[in-house]
Amino acid sequence: MHIRPRDETSSTLQQRLFLERLKQYYQSLSLSIVAVLLNTVIIAWGLWTPDNSRTIFVWFGVTIVVSVYRLSTIFRYRHQSDEERERFASRWYVEMLAGAGLSGLIWGSAGYLLFDLSDVGNQALLAFVIAGMCAGSIVSLSAFVEAAASFLALSLLPFFVRLLVEWTTETNLMAAMVLLYLIMMIAFARRVNITVVDGLEMTYLRSEAEQTIERQALYDELTGLPNRRLLQDRLSQAIARCRRQNSQAALMFLDLDFFKRVNDTLGHSAGDQMLIEVARRMKSLLREEDTAARLGGDEFIALLTDIRGDMEHAVSAIRRRGEELRVAIEQPMDLSGTEVHITVSIGVSLLPADSDNIDDLLKHADTAMYRAKDDGRNTLRFFVADMQKALLRRMEVEKKLRVALDGGQGLQLVLQPQYTDDDKICGAECLLRWECDGEFVSPATFIPVAEDCGLIYRLGDWVIDEACRIGALICAEHDPGAFSLACNVSPRQFRQKDFSDKVLTAIDEHNLPRGLIELELTESLLIDDVDDSVEKMHRLRERGLRFSIDDFGTGYSSLSYLKSLPLDTLKIDQSFVRDVLTDPGDASIVKAIISMAITLDLEVIAEGVETREVHDFLVQAGCPRFQGYLYSKPLPVEEFRALLRTATAHTTARQTLA
């Protein structure tokens, strides 16, 4: 027995096959009705006599009424959408069974009412037509064996009963033949039904396989958006349409800001939920003629087409649409009960204005997106030619930096001494320098590149290990108890799960004493995830590492988090120190930071000290430690060691004279 759509255990395949079988039945029903009407006329004309004229007339009329009803089902079925046919599939199934049953009763009644024992011609015509209708039903009702079986039974059993009622040798023989014919027809109908259903199933599965292959080839599996391959086809069409219609189009490159944090903190399943939601929001805002696509990871594309008007109007319209996308994406998202906010950086290239080459358009939009990242993220930027030059320079920096890390060439740490208020060296800050092709590359140039391309992890590991190596050299010739070596840590490096393990491994390998290494962290790094930061800091502090906040005063500067963090030092940013003598605001800020550090029992150091007057102001304000060009520029390791030896010798000599 075939499972019907209303059966709760029906599989998707059975549902689809059921609908396809209904469709096949109603498509072939009109030909079946034509055959019914034609054979009805033949029976009425061939068997009419004055004695049975009334019976034939009534039978003929009932046949016409049933045929009209069945024709109406065809009309109603064909005028419904696929969705409506699926929704009312059970009703169409019932109407199919009713039509088959009524048609079977018509021919069964003909066999019972119109049989004439005395007329051999009557018997032959009646048997021939009914047998033909039964044979034809196997084809027209092949999609449903239950319908075919009911039609055959209702058509032949009344004829079989009428023959038995006559109870003659001839009629009994004919009755046996009718019963045998019924059994054979039902068996044949079942075999035909199995063949038809198997064929439909194979066709459906092949179609599904083809569609699956097409989806995998052209659509992103996670979001259902077009992938790069289909996007390129849409871009080709958009370029051709722009030329043909003299219109504008825009390619928007969208990259989620700090998406990796979502994966790292909430897990990849939450990240997938976010990507799906971003795709949904994009599709809800774009028009039917536009395209939302996903290139991979957290990179999306919005292709806006058919933008009319001059260039100024087009740019204005594109900017407005881009802002709508940006605002929609930054709205809160509920990821398994956790409210999460995400922003997006958008780069835009225009076609055909910027280029009519697909690869160039994608490259230009990508370049503009990176400009949006550089300009603070969560913004939109249009491509201009200078961006491409900047991107090429950036790519060259990345390439050479990767070579430098692979071979350890050109990278070095220089040390800028830190002094106490009585001009004694109390420590140094490790500063990263990179010499490439005979010239020094500014950290402001290569550090952001390393952050963006992921080299910051390797670079940070190298800095930690090199600082520990330098620390071991200093410990061999200087009292480590009165000295600290400060080392900057990038936010992405600090957020690594194994950051603490790497630092402790480096310290153990170089056998460094407690308190020698001081890690400088930024305020923004600490405030992003206070709990995780505190946990890592406590673990490292237990092994003797010290912590300072670099550039204090430029970030959040919240007393609440200062009290919760295991800090040792506040470092006053040079932007405040430089103008303490001329800017009352900076002077007040510096005094407040020094007072705060004293209250919280933290050490404080001022960087950027370049004149004796600034030094005297800081001493008067209570600052005990200083760093800047007044004392020394950053020095190569060997020069710093020489300076440290000289300073130690002078200190020893003074103590001896005293």
Side-chain angles (χ1 to χ4, degrees):
M1 179 177 178
H2 293 287
I3 299 176
R4 300 178 185 178
R6 61 175 175 269
D7 191 333
E8 294 181 354
T9 63
S10 296
S11 66
T12 301
L13 175 59
Q14 291 168 328
Q15 294 272 1
R16 292 293 99 195
L17 289 179
F18 185 89
L19 294 171
E20 191 62 34
R21 288 155 61 200
L22 278 176
K23 182 178 180 180
Q24 185 183 73
Y25 166 77
Y26 282 104
Q27 284 178 341
S28 63
L29 183 56
S30 56
L31 185 61
S32 177
I33 293 174
V34 169
V36 168
L37 293 175
L38 181 61
N39 283 293
T40 299
V41 172
I42 292 173
I43 288 288
W45 178 76
L47 301 184
W48 185 88
T49 65
D51 294 334
N52 66 4
S53 59
R54 182 180 180 85
T55 302
I56 287 181
F57 180 78
V58 172
W59 177 80
F60 187 86
V62 171
T63 303
I64 297 300
V65 170
V66 171
S67 297
V68 170
Y69 160 71
R70 299 182 75 190
L71 284 170
S72 73
T73 63
I74 298 174
F75 179 82
R76 286 182 285 115
Y77 180 85
R78 291 181 178 177
H79 282 76
Q80 280 193 343
S81 65
D82 290 338
E83 292 77 13
E84 290 173 322
R85 292 174 185 174
E86 184 172 357
R87 189 163 64 251
F88 299 113
S90 296
R91 192 188 76 184
W92 290 118
Y93 177 78
V94 171
E95 292 212 28
M96 180 272 299
L97 288 179
L102 289 172
S103 184
L105 284 173
I106 287 173
W107 296 108
S109 62
Y112 190 90
L113 299 173
L114 302 180
F115 179 77
D116 187 352
L117 183 61
S118 62
D119 189 342
V120 177
N122 170 293
Q123 298 173 22
L125 179 60
L126 199 58
F128 178 79
V129 171
I130 293 176
M133 289 304 300
C134 289
S137 70
I138 294 176
V139 176
S140 61
L141 298 174
S142 59
F144 295 92
V145 68
E146 59 269 39
S150 64
F151 178 87
L152 290 168
L154 292 172
S155 297
L156 294 174
L157 287 179
F159 192 31
F160 170 76
V161 171
R162 177 59 188 272
L163 292 171
L164 290 180
V165 168
E166 297 294 338
W167 201 256
T168 66
T169 303
E170 293 81 1
T171 58
N172 289 344
L173 179 60
M174 290 178 63
M177 294 174 61
V178 168
L179 185 60
L180 179 61
Y181 183 73
L182 172 61
I183 295 172
M184 291 176 58
M185 286 294 100
I186 290 177
F188 188 57
R190 179 170 178 78
R191 182 174 295 277
V192 172
N193 172 261
I194 292 173
T195 302
V196 169
V197 172
D198 287 347
L200 290 174
E201 182 176 347
M202 289 298 296
T203 301
Y204 175 79
L205 292 175
R206 183 168 59 251
S207 175
E208 282 291 295
E210 292 172 352
Q211 292 177 17
T212 299
I213 293 172
E214 181 180 2
R215 282 195 302 270
Q216 292 175 343
L218 301 177
Y219 291 89
D220 175 57
E221 184 176 357
L222 178 65
T223 63
L225 296 180
N227 60 15
R228 181 184 294 270
R229 181 177 177 182
L230 182 54
L231 173 65
Q232 290 176 331
D233 181 66
R234 299 275 177 88
L235 268 171
S236 298
Q237 296 178 27
I239 293 171
R241 192 157 54 249
C242 286
R243 292 170 177 166
R244 187 171 60 252
Q245 300 177 356
N246 194 28
S247 61
Q248 303 286 332
L251 181 69
M252 292 185 175
F253 197 114
L254 294 83
D255 186 272
L256 302 182
D257 300 325
F258 304 114
F259 175 72
K260 187 177 182 299
R261 294 185 187 176
V262 177
N263 282 335
D264 291 344
T265 56
L266 299 179
H268 287 277
S269 60
D272 288 346
Q273 289 181 49
M274 176 172 283
L275 296 174
I276 293 170
E277 176 60 18
V278 169
R280 187 196 66 78
R281 294 183 183 187
M282 288 181 64
K283 288 191 291 186
S284 68
L285 284 175
L286 297 182
R287 303 167 300 172
E288 186 176 347
E289 58 266 33
D290 298 331
T291 297
R294 181 185 176 216
L295 295 185
D298 60 336
E299 296 178 341
F300 293 85
I301 293 291
L303 175 60
L304 311 181
T305 59
D306 296 330
I307 301 172
R308 305 291 178 172
D310 56 23
M311 181 59 70
E312 182 178 353
H313 176 271
V315 169
S316 177
I318 293 165
R319 184 181 298 278
R320 185 181 67 255
R321 300 280 301 283
E323 284 299 312
E324 290 174 354
L325 283 170
R326 186 190 63 78
V327 171
I329 291 173
E330 72 175 355
Q331 298 307 305
M333 297 182 188
D334 185 351
L335 304 181
S336 300
T338 302
E339 184 175 280
V340 179
H341 296 259
I342 195 76
T343 58
V344 63
S345 299
I346 305 176
V348 183
S349 60
L350 304 178
L351 56 148
D354 289 337
S355 176
D356 57 3
N357 179 275
I358 293 175
D359 292 336
D360 286 344
L361 286 168
L362 286 167
K363 183 168 61 178
H364 293 343
D366 187 36
T367 301
M369 183 273 294
Y370 274 107
R371 174 56 61 87
K373 296 276 190 186
D374 291 341
D375 290 347
R377 306 176 191 270
N378 192 27
T379 189
L380 178 147
R381 291 292 180 265
F382 284 82
F383 171 78
V384 294
D386 288 344
M387 290 183 183
Q388 187 64 25
K389 296 178 182 177
L391 179 63
L392 292 175
R393 288 195 297 270
R394 193 185 193 102
M395 293 173 62
E396 186 67 17
V397 169
E398 177 186 343
K399 177 183 176 181
K400 292 181 178 179
L401 183 59
R402 198 176 296 275
V403 171
L405 281 169
D406 289 339
Q409 300 174 350
L411 292 171
Q412 63 172 315
L413 289 184
V414 296
L415 306 180
Q416 186 167 29
Q418 297 171 342
Y419 285 79
T420 63
D421 54 1
D422 57 354
D423 292 342
K424 294 180 181 178
I425 297 177
C426 58
E429 180 183 5
C430 296
L431 301 171
L432 181 61
R433 296 293 183 263
W434 178 32
E435 184 179 3
C436 180
D437 297 334
E439 297 181 353
F440 281 98
V441 182
S442 168
T445 298
F446 71 83
I447 293 295
V449 173
E451 289 273 2
D452 287 339
C453 69
L455 288 176
I456 194 65
Y457 301 116
R458 293 177 58 193
L459 194 60
D461 293 344
W462 182 88
V463 168
I464 292 291
D465 188 71
E466 181 68 6
C468 289
R469 185 189 70 82
I470 294 171
L473 293 175
I474 293 173
C475 286
E477 55 192 24
H478 187 75
D479 179 13
F483 187 88
S484 64
L485 196 60
C487 184
N488 288 282
V489 177
S490 79
R492 292 182 68 178
Q493 181 187 8
F494 184 78
R495 292 191 188 98
Q496 281 185 294
K497 293 181 179 180
D498 59 349
F499 171 75
S500 301
D501 294 330
K502 290 181 176 180
V503 173
L504 295 176
T505 298
I507 289 176
D508 290 341
E509 285 180 354
H510 295 282
N511 196 27
L512 298 184
R514 297 174 62 89
L516 176 67
I517 298 296
E518 181 173 278
L519 300 180
E520 292 191 356
L521 310 177
T522 63
E523 293 181 67
S524 58
L525 182 156
L526 297 173
I527 203 67
D528 279 343
D529 192 342
V530 175
D531 293 337
D532 181 65
S533 299
V534 169
E535 182 181 349
K536 286 181 179 177
M537 292 170 72
H538 275 301
R539 183 186 175 197
L540 293 171
R541 210 162 191 257
E542 289 174 357
R543 295 288 301 276
L545 276 91
R546 295 164 50 86
F547 290 95
S548 66
I549 294 186
D550 191 20
D551 301 337
F552 186 77
T554 61
Y556 298 90
S557 308
S558 168
L559 278 173
S560 61
Y561 83 80
L562 278 180
K563 291 170 61 177
S564 65
L565 296 171
L567 295 170
D568 298 281
T569 306
L570 298 184
K571 194 169 187 181
I572 307 174
D573 186 62
Q574 61 181 332
S575 63
F576 299 119
V577 173
R578 187 183 303 115
D579 298 324
V580 291
L581 300 179
T582 58
D583 189 327
D586 284 350
S588 298
I589 290 173
V590 169
K591 290 179 180 179
I593 293 174
I594 295 172
S595 176
M596 182 190 305
I598 295 172
T599 301
L600 296 174
D601 196 24
L602 298 175
E603 296 182 11
V604 61
I605 180 171
E607 65 175 355
V609 180
E610 298 183 355
T611 66
R612 179 57 61 178
E613 290 78 12
V614 170
H615 168 269
D616 294 342
F617 172 89
L618 293 169
V619 170
Q620 207 169 34
C623 182
R625 296 170 61 188
F626 314 92
Q627 176 183 335
Y629 277 72
L630 173 64
Y631 301 96
S632 173
K633 65 180 182 178
L635 301 172
V637 174
E638 293 307 317
E639 291 185 25
F640 177 81
R641 291 173 64 190
L643 175 66
L644 191 58
R645 284 193 294 270
T646 301
T648 302
H650 287 168
T651 300
T652 302
R654 284 198 300 268
Q655 291 174 347
T656 301
L657 290 175

